Amino acid sequence: MNNNTDWCAEKDTDDIVWLRLNQSGKNTNVLSKSVLEALDKQLVQLATENPKGLIILSDKKQGFIAGADVTEFTALRKATEARTWIQRVHEIFNRLANLPFPTVAVIHGYCLGGGLELALACRYRVAANNPETQLGLPEVKLGIHPGYGGTVRLPRLIGTLPALEMMLNGRSLSTRAAVRLGLIDQAVPARHLQQAARAFIKKSPPPYRPPFWQRLIGQAPMRQLVTKVLRSRLEKRVNSRHYPAPFALLELWEKQEGTIEQRLALEAESLAALLISETTNNLIRVFLLQQRLKSLGKQGIFKSQRVHVIGAGTMGGDIAAWCALKNLHVSLQDQSPDRIAPAIKRAHGLFKKRLKSQRPIQAAMDRLMPDPRGEGLAKADVLIEAIFENIEAKQSLFQALEPRLKAGALLATNTSSIPLETLAESLSQSERLVGLHFFNPVAKMQLVEIVKGEATKAEEMARAAAFTRQIGRLPLPVKSLPGFLVNRVLTPYLLEATRLLSEGVPGPVIDQAAIDFGMPMGPIELADTVGLDICLSVAERLTPPEQIPEELKLKIQQGQLGKKSGSGFYRYQGGKSVKPQPPQEYQAPGDLTDRLILSMINEAVSSLHDQVVEDADLLDAGMIFGIGFAPFRGGPLHYVRTQGVDTMRQRLQALETRYGTRFTPSAGWQAL
C-alpha cells in the first residue's frame, strides 16, 4: 500500500481495504492540498488492485473530516488559479466516485464541508448514532458555496429541496435527520460502525434515490420556478450585497444542466469567483478569529461537573439553563422559590426548543435544581454570581460565600461594568475572582468576556476560559476597565442612536441605516432588547452626565424599559417590535451612518489603545461575536484599515467639527 504520514491503507482477509485518515500535526482532519494529493495516489493504486471494497474512516477521536483547509484559500489571488485547484479536487473525487467496487464512508463526530463532499463521492455512508455526529455544508458562512462536487452530488442523493436547504442555511444535521433525508444509509452505535461498513461492502445494495417528485423539481421548467421562489424568500432575510454566496448558489443551481462533468465545471467557475472576493476573505478571517478564541479555552486544564448560580433574574437564570443544557448539574439560588420559578419556566422553553424529544428535555430539567437555600454551593466546581449591579450587595455576598466554597472552585462574577478590583475588596483571596461576563440573550450570544482584575491569577483566567469552551461559548480575555470591551464600545453607539432619535430622526430610519451597514439589529431596537434601564446604568458608569440623552432618562422615568416592559422606544406585541412607519417624503441625514458607526469605531480604537484586549484581532473578534459587528467587513479595526486609516480619521474629525468633542479621535488612531 502507498501509505504516508496522513493516510494509512490496510487490506483485510476479506479483500476489503481500510483507508484511514489521521492528519499529521493536526488535532482535526482537514482536506489540505497535500492530504488530497496523497488521497489521489491511494485511489490510483486501488483502481489497479481492484479489491472487493474500500472503507474510508478517520482515526481522530473528534470526528471524520472538518472540511477543507480554509487557510489555503487565503493564498488564492486569481479566479483562474482557484478554478484550476477546484477542478483538481473534482478529478480526485470523481476518481473515488468511479471506482468499480463499493465504497463506504464511516462517519463519527464532525463531517463538514469538503469532508461531507468526500463522503458523498462514496457509494454508501454509515454514521455513529450519537449527539456528537454532525453532518453539514457550512460553506455559506465563509462567503462561498460547496465546491468539491457538493452542489452536484447532494441534490442527486437526497433531492433538490432538502439539498438546497442544507446548502443555503449552512446548518449541521444530526445523524437522525441525516438518515431521514437519505444522506446517511445507516446509523448505528459507534462500536458497530466497522461491522456495518463491512456489511455494505459484502451485500452492495442499490444506492439510495430520492422520491420521484424531488427528482422532478430538478428538471426544467420546475427548476426556474423553484429558484424564483427560493430567491424571493432569501431576499427577505439576506442582503445580497453583503452576502452574495447563497444567491450565487441559486444562480448556479438554476443553470446546472447536462452531464456531471458539465455541472462540476459550472460549480468550479462559480466558486472560483467567490473565493477571490473581499467578502469571502473577510468571512474566512472571521472563521479564523473564531478558531483563535476557541484555542484560548484549552481543554484538560479544568472540567466542571457542578455549577452554582446566584441570582435567578434574566441573566442568572439563563446562564443556569444554558449550563444545564450543556450537561452540567446546576443549582440556581435566589431569595425565594417564587423568584426562581420564572427562570425554570424559561429553561423548559429553551430545552424544548433545542432538544425536541421528551426524554432529553426531562433529563435537562433534572440537571437544573431550584436552590433557594444555596445547598449546592459547597459541591459546586463553579460559582457564578449574577445578582443586580450594586457594589455593596455583591461585596457582601462574596464575603458571605467565600468561606463556604469548595477548595479549587472557580469563583466568578457576571458583572457587566463594576471593576473586579472593587468587588475583590471583600475577599480574603482576591486572586480567585474572575469575571465571566455573558451577554443577553445567553442562548444566542457566543461571546463570554473573561475579565482579569489586577490580582486575578493567570491560572484562574485559564480555568475560566476552559469552562467557557466546555459550555460551547467563545472566551475573550479582557482587562478589568470600566465596561470591559463590548459594553464600552457599544455604549457610545447606543447613545448616539438615542441622540438622533431626540433630534427627530425616526427610530426605523436609524435602525435601517445600521442594518444597511451590516449590523444584525438596529441600535434603537437593540437598546430596547437590552433594557433601557441597563443601558442607562452602564452609560452612567462610562459616560459624562452631559452626554447622556434626556430621552433615555425620560423613558425610564415613565416605566418604559424596552421589550421586557412591553414598550420602550418601540411598542412590543407578542415579543415583536411595532415600528411606526416614517413619512414617505422623509430624508435621512447624510451623515447618519457615520454618526452611528464611527462613534463605535472610535471607542474601539480607544479600547485597543488602553489594552483592554491583547491585540487588534481579538478586539475585532470581540466586536463580531459580542455585538454582531458586520461579519462580512472583518471587524471594526480591519474595516478601518481596508477603508484607509487617514480617510476614516478625517470623517471622524468632520463629525467633531459639526457635533463636538464626543467625536474627537482617540489617541489610539496614531498607532493604527
Side-chain angles (χ1 to χ4, degrees):
M1 295 293 173
N2 191 19
N3 293 330
N4 64 18
T5 56
D6 297 325
W7 293 98
C8 177
E10 297 177 350
K11 186 181 290 186
D12 65 18
T13 55
D14 292 325
D15 196 32
I16 297 172
V17 173
W18 298 76
L19 184 57
R20 301 173 181 274
L21 177 59
N22 190 357
Q23 192 172 7
S24 177
K26 299 277 189 179
N27 293 325
T28 58
N29 289 326
V30 293
L31 295 179
S32 65
K33 290 183 178 181
S34 62
V35 167
L36 286 162
E37 292 293 354
L39 171 63
D40 194 45
K41 291 180 181 178
Q42 295 281 2
L43 297 176
V44 168
Q45 182 174 345
L46 285 168
T48 63
E49 295 178 359
N50 198 29
K52 186 172 182 179
L54 170 65
I55 296 172
I56 301 179
L57 63 167
S58 162
D59 279 347
K60 300 287 189 189
K61 290 184 179 180
Q62 300 96 324
F64 183 61
I65 301 172
D69 187 345
V70 299
T71 59
E72 295 182 341
F73 292 164
T74 60
L76 299 171
R77 294 289 179 264
K78 296 180 180 179
T80 52
E81 183 184 0
R83 185 167 58 250
T84 298
W85 169 243
I86 299 162
Q87 289 170 338
R88 173 63 180 136
V89 180
H90 286 167
E91 181 183 351
I92 297 169
F93 282 17
N94 282 343
R95 196 185 311 283
L96 172 59
N98 294 330
L99 287 173
F101 44 80
T103 55
V104 184
V106 174
I107 298 166
H108 71 282
Y110 46 76
C111 177
L112 304 171
L116 180 55
E117 289 176 289
L118 186 150
L120 288 171
C122 294
R123 192 180 300 180
Y124 310 109
R125 287 148 298 280
V126 297
N129 190 14
N130 55 42
E132 291 74 32
T133 302
Q134 296 290 315
L135 302 98
L137 294 170
E139 285 87 346
V140 291
K141 297 177 182 179
L142 298 179
I144 55 178
H145 57 63
Y148 290 177
T151 68
V152 177
R153 291 191 174 95
L154 186 64
R156 289 166 62 92
L157 177 66
I158 67 173
T160 295
L161 292 180
L164 287 174
E165 183 180 359
M166 269 190 71
M167 292 186 286
L168 287 171
N169 64 38
R171 290 193 290 268
S172 297
L173 299 177
S174 66
T175 307
R176 180 182 297 180
V179 170
R180 193 163 54 243
L181 287 177
L183 180 60
I184 295 300
D185 294 285
Q186 188 178 9
V188 297
R191 64 183 182 278
H192 294 155
L193 277 172
Q194 295 188 18
Q195 180 182 344
R198 188 185 298 274
F200 273 99
I201 297 293
K202 290 183 175 180
K203 296 178 183 177
S204 193
Y208 175 81
R209 294 194 71 195
F212 172 74
W213 68 271
Q214 282 282 8
R215 302 199 300 273
L216 184 64
I217 288 174
Q219 305 300 315
M222 288 293 292
R223 178 190 295 265
Q224 285 72 30
L225 177 61
V226 170
T227 304
K228 184 178 180 180
V229 172
L230 291 178
R231 185 178 289 115
S232 175
R233 291 179 182 176
L234 190 61
E235 287 170 347
K236 293 177 181 178
R237 56 186 180 87
V238 179
N239 188 323
S240 60
R241 292 183 294 107
H242 297 166
Y243 301 100
F247 296 91
L249 174 62
L250 283 179
E251 182 181 348
L252 167 65
W253 179 75
E254 186 176 16
K255 63 183 181 182
Q256 270 184 335
E257 292 182 332
T259 65
I260 288 181
E261 288 72 20
Q262 290 170 326
R263 295 181 182 211
L264 289 174
L266 290 171
E267 179 187 79
E269 182 181 344
S270 176
L271 178 58
L274 290 171
L275 275 172
I276 62 168
S277 70
E278 182 180 359
T279 294
T280 295
N281 280 301
N282 285 342
L283 290 176
I284 289 175
R285 168 181 163 77
V286 171
F287 171 78
L288 296 175
L289 291 176
Q290 183 183 49
Q291 296 304 107
R292 182 178 175 190
L293 292 182
K294 287 181 178 180
S295 73
L296 297 175
K298 295 179 180 177
Q299 299 303 293
I301 291 177
F302 175 73
K303 190 167 185 179
S304 171
Q305 292 182 325
R306 295 182 178 276
V307 177
H308 187 73
V309 179
I310 301 181
T314 299
M315 287 302 298
D318 290 357
I319 291 168
W322 184 258
C323 291
L325 181 70
K326 293 299 177 178
N327 297 311
L328 293 171
H329 292 274
V330 184
S331 45
L332 178 58
Q333 182 180 354
D334 211 311
Q335 293 176 338
S336 69
D338 288 346
R339 294 198 175 197
I340 301 173
I344 301 299
K345 183 178 179 181
R346 289 198 312 276
H348 185 266
L350 172 67
F351 301 155
K352 189 175 179 181
K353 181 178 180 180
R354 294 295 182 102
L355 299 174
K356 311 295 184 185
S357 303
Q358 184 56 41
R359 183 175 294 179
I361 292 171
Q362 187 57 52
M365 291 297 293
D366 291 343
R367 291 192 295 269
L368 179 58
M369 181 180 70
D371 186 16
R373 297 199 295 185
E375 295 174 352
L377 173 63
K379 299 178 183 178
D381 303 305
V382 178
L383 165 67
I384 302 175
E385 171 275 312
I387 67 172
F388 58 99
E389 288 286 277
N390 179 276
I391 293 173
E392 291 75 19
K394 288 179 185 284
Q395 286 180 330
S396 177
L397 179 63
F398 281 129
Q399 192 170 27
L401 293 177
E402 188 178 20
R404 300 172 56 197
L405 284 175
K406 174 182 174 181
L410 184 68
L411 174 58
T413 174
N414 183 55
T415 182
S416 59
S417 58
I418 302 173
L420 261 66
E421 295 78 10
T422 303
L423 297 180
E425 291 172 0
S426 62
L427 295 169
S428 61
Q429 293 180 296
S430 57
E431 69 275 9
R432 292 183 68 177
L433 184 63
V434 64
L436 279 176
H437 183 215
F438 291 78
F439 296 93
N440 189 32
V442 173
K444 291 184 178 179
M445 300 302 291
Q446 296 185 61
L447 194 78
V448 176
E449 289 180 318
I450 313 297
V451 188
K452 184 182 188 305
E454 286 184 4
T456 308
K457 283 186 175 180
E459 175 189 354
E460 299 304 314
M461 292 290 289
R463 281 159 28 102
F467 170 72
T468 302
R469 287 300 302 134
Q470 184 183 349
I471 59 172
R473 287 295 176 249
L474 300 174
L476 177 71
V478 299
K479 188 187 292 187
S480 179
L481 291 175
F484 313 136
L485 176 65
V486 173
N487 280 347
R488 173 173 170 171
V489 176
L490 189 61
T491 296
Y493 170 67
L494 296 181
L495 291 181
E496 193 62 28
T498 306
R499 194 172 289 108
L500 282 159
L501 195 66
S502 66
E503 292 173 8
V505 182
V509 172
I510 298 169
D511 281 350
Q512 193 59 51
I515 291 168
D516 288 344
F517 178 80
M519 303 300 289
M521 178 186 290
I524 300 300
E525 187 168 359
L526 177 60
D528 272 354
T529 302
V530 170
L532 301 187
D533 52 338
I534 294 174
C535 290
L536 179 60
S537 175
V538 174
E540 288 174 338
R541 294 181 186 277
L542 302 178
T543 309
E546 65 274 11
Q547 290 190 13
I548 299 176
E550 291 299 322
E551 182 84 5
L552 179 60
K553 299 176 183 178
L554 181 61
K555 286 289 182 183
I556 294 168
Q557 291 170 5
Q558 295 171 343
Q560 298 178 21
L561 307 181
K563 189 174 181 179
K564 60 187 174 185
S565 67
S567 67
F569 292 128
Y570 296 134
R571 289 187 303 107
Y572 291 84
Q573 292 181 350
K576 293 186 177 181
S577 60
V578 180
K579 299 183 179 182
Q581 291 299 313
Q584 287 187 348
E585 66 276 7
Y586 181 80
Q587 293 292 320
D591 58 5
L592 170 57
T593 302
D594 269 3
R595 285 180 64 178
L596 292 172
I597 302 304
L598 287 177
S599 64
M600 187 193 318
I601 287 176
N602 194 35
E603 196 61 45
V605 172
S606 176
S607 298
L608 181 65
H609 179 261
D610 291 344
Q611 298 181 315
V612 177
V613 289
E614 185 179 321
D615 55 46
D617 281 353
L618 286 181
L619 190 143
D620 280 347
M623 291 298 93
I624 291 166
F625 296 108
I627 66 172
F629 184 92
F632 72 96
R633 298 187 188 275
L637 298 184
H638 182 74
Y639 174 66
V640 166
R641 293 192 177 101
T642 58
Q643 297 295 304
V645 174
D646 290 340
T647 298
M648 296 294 282
R649 184 168 53 217
Q650 288 167 9
R651 285 161 58 182
L652 194 57
Q653 288 169 336
L655 293 177
E656 179 190 16
T657 301
R658 204 172 303 148
Y659 299 108
T661 57
R662 68 180 185 274
F663 286 108
T664 301
S666 95
W669 284 90
Q670 303 300 325
L672 289 183

